[in-house]
Amino acid sequence: MLRKTFEGEIQQLKDDVLLLGSMVEQAILDSVEALKKRDVKASERIFAEDAAINKKRFDIENKLMVLIATQQPMAHDLRLLASTMEIISELERMGDYAKGIANINIRMGDAPLLKPLIDVPRMAQIGADMLHRALTAFVNEDVEMAKSIPIQDDEVDALYNQVYHELMMFIIQDPKTIERANWLLWVAHNLERVADRVTNICERTVFIVTGEMKEIKATDDEFWKGQHS
Amino acid sequence: MTQPSTERSPFVLETKDLGIFYGDFRAVASVNIPIERHKITAIIGPSGCGKSTLLRAFNRMNELSTGTRIEGEVLFEGENLYHPMVDPVEVRYRIGMVFQKPNPFPKSIYENIAWGARIHGYKGKMEELVESCLRQAALWDEVKDKLTQSGLALSGGQQQRLCIARALAVQPEVILMDEPASALDPIATLKIEELMQELKKNYTIVIVTHNMQQAARASDRTAMMMINHERSGTVIEFNETQKIFTNPKDKRTEDYVTGRFG
C-alpha cells in the first residue's frame, strides 16, 4: 500500500490525541471530586499536573507541524491534520478549566462548601462522558456518533441553570455567602464550557469526514435568554 | 479565424465531447471542460492518462504526428478550432506552447525572441518587443547585458523563461505549458510559478503537471484525469483547485491527491 508510513503516523497521532483526552477527562473528574471532598492536597496535585497536559499538547502540535511539512497532506489528510490542531487546543483549554476548579478549592482555604455538591458532579460526569465519546467518534471518524453527542450539552446547560438559580437564592437570603456562592458559580461555569468545547470537537470530526464546516447545534442563545429573564 | 468580439465569453477555450485518437486507439474520451480567461488551469493525473495529449489538442499540436484525429469539438473564442478553414499555424501563434525541456533556438537571446515575431510579420520596433517579452518573462534584468550571447548558455531555469518570452513574442492569448518546471531545480520552479501569476493578468494559462503541489500552489482550476474502463483518458473531476485539494468529490481524485493511488 502506498503511504504506509504516513498511515502509521496518523494512527500514532490519533493515539496521542486519545491519551491527551483521557488526561483531560481525568483532570475534570478529579478536580470536582477533590472539591466535593474539600481535599486541597488533591487539588494541588491536579493544579500541578496541568503542566503535563500542556506539554502533551505541544508535543502533538509539534508532530502535526512535522507531518504537514514533510508529508504535504491533501484532501482528507489535510482536513484531519488541520482539525487535530484545533482539537488539541480545545482539549488543552478544557484542562485549564479543571485547573481552574482545582485552584478554587485551594483558594477556598478552610471555608466550608456553601452546599453539598450534587448537580456540579453530575455536570462533570456528563461533560467527561461527552468528551470520551467525542474522542471515540474522532478516532473512528464516525459522523453519526459525532452528531449525536452535542444534544447532551442541553443537559449540562439545564444543570448549570439550576445551580445558578440555587446560588442566587443563597446570595439573596444572605449576602455574606456571595464569595462562596461565586466560587461555586465559577466551577459550574467551567463545566458548562467543557461541554461547549466538546461540541466543537464533534463539529471538527464531521468536517474531517465530510469537508463541511458547520455548527451542529446552537441552543446557547436560548440558554442565555433564560438566564437573564 | 475572426478576432474576438468585444463581448467575450468567460471561456477562452472549451471542449465539447472531445475524443482524441492515435490511429484506432482512443487516447482521450469525452472531455468537456471550459478554460477560463485569465486563469491558470492545471491538468493532473497519473502517467499515461492523456494529460499531454489533451493539452496538445488545444493548439492542434497532435496533428504533427500522423494518424491522429479528434471527435467532438474544441472551441477557441467560441469558434471551432478544427474547422477546415482554420490554419493550424495561425492557431499555434495565438495559443503558444512551452515544453518540459527548455528548447531555445541555438541563436542569441535576442534572436530567440525576434525570430518568431519577424516571421509572424511583426512591424514594430524589435528592440522594444524583445525587452518587453523578456521583462514579462522576468528575465530582462538577468540578460539585458548579454543579449547577443547564445540562449543555450543560460541556466535551465533561465532557458525556460526565455522559451516563455519567445512564446509571448507573437502575442498569444493562451499559453500551454507541458510540465514546464519538471526539469528545473526548486528555486527555478518557484520562479516559473511566480511568473505564471504575473502572466495570467494578460494571458490564459493551461498547465500539465505531475507535481501536485505545483498544481495546488499555482493554479486556479484543476482538471483531474484518469484512464476509464476502455483505457481512454478522461477528465473525472474538474473544479476550483482549492476544492480539488481540500475536499474532492470523486474517490479516485481523493486517492490520487493524497498519494494513495495505485
Side-chain angles (χ1 to χ4, degrees):
Chain A
M1 186 181 68
L2 285 171
R3 310 219 78 175
K4 200 173 171 186
T5 311
F6 185 36
E7 299 270 8
E9 281 167 336
I10 285 178
Q11 200 47 54
Q12 177 62 47
L13 182 74
K14 285 183 168 178
D15 289 347
D16 282 337
V17 173
L18 270 190
L19 182 57
L20 174 62
S22 66
M23 289 162 82
V24 171
E25 190 183 326
Q26 202 56 53
I28 293 165
L29 291 172
D30 288 352
S31 67
V32 172
E33 187 62 21
L35 175 69
K36 195 175 159 189
K37 292 182 180 161
R38 293 301 338 274
D39 183 346
V40 173
K41 282 258 177 302
S43 290
E44 283 168 350
R45 181 177 50 77
I46 294 158
F47 190 92
E49 279 173 1
D50 185 57
I53 290 175
N54 294 350
K55 182 179 180 304
K56 185 72 188 163
R57 179 256 172 116
F58 285 129
D59 286 348
I60 298 174
E61 186 169 338
N62 194 43
K63 276 189 193 174
L64 278 165
M65 297 280 250
V66 171
L67 279 180
I68 290 168
T70 57
Q71 299 292 334
Q72 286 101 38
M74 293 290 188
H76 170 273
D77 297 331
L78 179 63
R79 298 198 301 271
L80 174 67
L81 298 193
S83 299
T84 303
M85 198 73 97
E86 282 293 322
I87 288 170
I88 60 172
S89 154
E90 299 285 1
L91 290 172
E92 197 257 325
R93 294 301 297 274
M94 286 188 227
D96 288 345
Y97 295 139
K99 182 185 176 184
I101 294 170
N103 194 27
I104 286 166
N105 193 29
I106 295 165
R107 282 169 52 191
M108 278 170 72
D110 296 334
L113 283 171
L114 189 57
K115 62 185 271 305
L117 295 185
I118 309 290
D119 290 335
V120 165
R122 277 173 65 198
M123 287 176 79
Q125 191 58 54
I126 297 170
D129 177 54
M130 285 173 73
L131 173 58
H132 192 91
R133 294 197 304 126
L135 291 177
T136 305
F138 162 71
V139 169
N140 297 331
E141 301 193 9
D142 184 338
V143 173
E144 289 316 309
M145 187 178 186
K147 282 184 178 168
S148 73
I149 294 163
I151 194 74
Q152 268 190 290
D153 189 26
D154 289 348
E155 290 178 46
V156 177
D157 288 348
L159 284 169
Y160 178 65
N161 228 350
Q162 203 165 304
V163 170
Y164 177 87
H165 286 110
E166 224 177 329
L167 292 171
M168 286 302 121
M169 288 309 291
F170 273 101
I171 292 171
I172 290 164
Q173 284 164 11
D174 179 6
K176 286 204 291 293
T177 62
I178 283 181
E179 191 171 21
R180 287 194 292 159
N182 201 29
W183 280 330
L184 291 185
L185 192 58
W186 267 113
V187 170
H189 176 76
N190 278 5
L191 294 171
E192 192 268 321
R193 297 298 299 147
V194 164
D196 282 348
R197 288 183 183 272
V198 170
T199 298
N200 294 345
I201 293 177
C202 294
E203 285 164 359
R204 292 288 150 180
T205 297
V206 174
F207 171 68
I208 291 167
V209 180
T210 65
E212 280 178 39
M213 186 114 53
K214 53 183 176 192
E215 293 195 41
I216 296 179
K217 74 170 189 79
T219 53
D220 276 2
D221 293 348
E222 294 295 314
F223 166 67
W224 287 110
K225 228 182 278 169
Q227 196 66 197
H228 294 292
S229 59
Chain B
M1 284 187 292
T2 53
Q3 286 302 312
S5 67
T6 44
E7 274 185 42
R8 296 192 295 184
S9 134
F11 307 128
V12 180
L13 286 159
E14 212 170 346
T15 66
K16 303 274 186 198
D17 292 323
L18 178 66
I20 307 168
F21 292 81
Y22 291 121
D24 292 334
F25 175 60
R26 193 199 306 249
V28 169
S30 319
V31 173
N32 290 289
I33 58 168
I35 304 294
E36 253 184 277
R37 196 180 304 281
H38 299 317
K39 291 270 157 73
I40 299 171
T41 302
I43 304 173
I44 63 169
S47 297
C49 71
K51 302 185 293 291
S52 294
T53 301
L54 175 61
L55 188 77
R56 287 197 294 265
F58 286 132
N59 74 345
R60 296 182 58 169
M61 204 68 113
N62 285 325
E63 292 165 44
L64 299 177
S65 32
T66 50
T68 62
R69 65 184 173 86
I70 71 150
E71 62 184 7
E73 283 185 331
V74 179
L75 301 180
F76 174 51
E77 299 293 5
E79 299 201 21
N80 185 2
L81 201 60
Y82 285 81
H83 189 279
M85 296 299 286
V86 172
D87 174 8
V89 175
E90 174 68 15
V91 167
R92 289 172 207 140
Y93 277 122
R94 291 182 61 185
I95 306 173
M97 194 157 205
V98 176
F99 299 89
Q100 179 172 3
K101 200 164 168 289
N103 58 349
F105 302 134
K107 291 172 180 291
S108 69
I109 292 168
Y110 184 96
E111 274 305 309
N112 258 280
I113 295 168
W115 196 66
R118 201 178 295 128
I119 289 182
H120 191 47
Y122 180 72
K123 295 284 190 288
K125 287 194 175 143
M126 195 57 86
E127 287 81 7
E128 285 175 11
L129 178 73
V130 170
E131 179 174 341
S132 156
C133 292
L134 287 170
R135 279 190 189 280
Q136 287 185 75
L139 189 59
W140 175 251
D141 289 339
E142 291 162 58
V143 302
K144 63 185 176 197
D145 299 322
K146 47 181 179 184
L147 294 175
T148 55
Q149 284 183 18
S150 168
L152 296 171
L154 298 172
S155 73
Q158 289 172 326
Q159 286 189 21
Q160 194 61 305
R161 279 178 284 146
L162 180 62
C163 293
I164 292 171
R166 182 179 64 187
L168 301 180
V170 293
Q171 293 162 319
E173 283 179 57
V174 181
I175 305 167
L176 308 176
M177 297 182 166
D178 194 353
E179 297 271 5
S182 63
L184 306 181
D185 69 42
I187 301 296
T189 297
L190 290 175
K191 279 189 186 166
I192 298 285
E193 290 174 13
E194 285 299 315
L195 174 58
M196 287 163 61
Q197 299 305 319
E198 279 303 309
L199 291 174
K200 78 171 184 181
K201 293 171 187 163
N202 297 313
Y203 308 92
T204 300
I205 297 174
V206 186
I207 177 173
V208 163
T209 179
H210 265 116
N211 181 337
M212 276 181 293
Q213 274 70 41
Q214 178 167 62
R217 278 193 303 264
S219 72
D220 302 301
R221 299 181 73 81
T222 296
M224 170 71 198
M225 289 187 76
M226 196 74 98
I227 297 284
N228 68 13
H229 58 282
E230 288 169 331
R231 304 204 51 75
S232 304
T234 194
V235 173
I236 59 164
E237 187 165 357
F238 180 60
N239 210 333
E240 286 164 29
T241 296
Q242 60 177 35
K243 293 224 172 84
I244 294 282
F245 288 98
T246 60
N247 194 14
K249 295 286 165 259
D250 193 296
K251 174 79 169 63
R252 294 165 294 175
T253 310
E254 169 90 29
D255 286 346
Y256 185 71
V257 300
T258 59
R260 288 175 181 79
F261 174 83

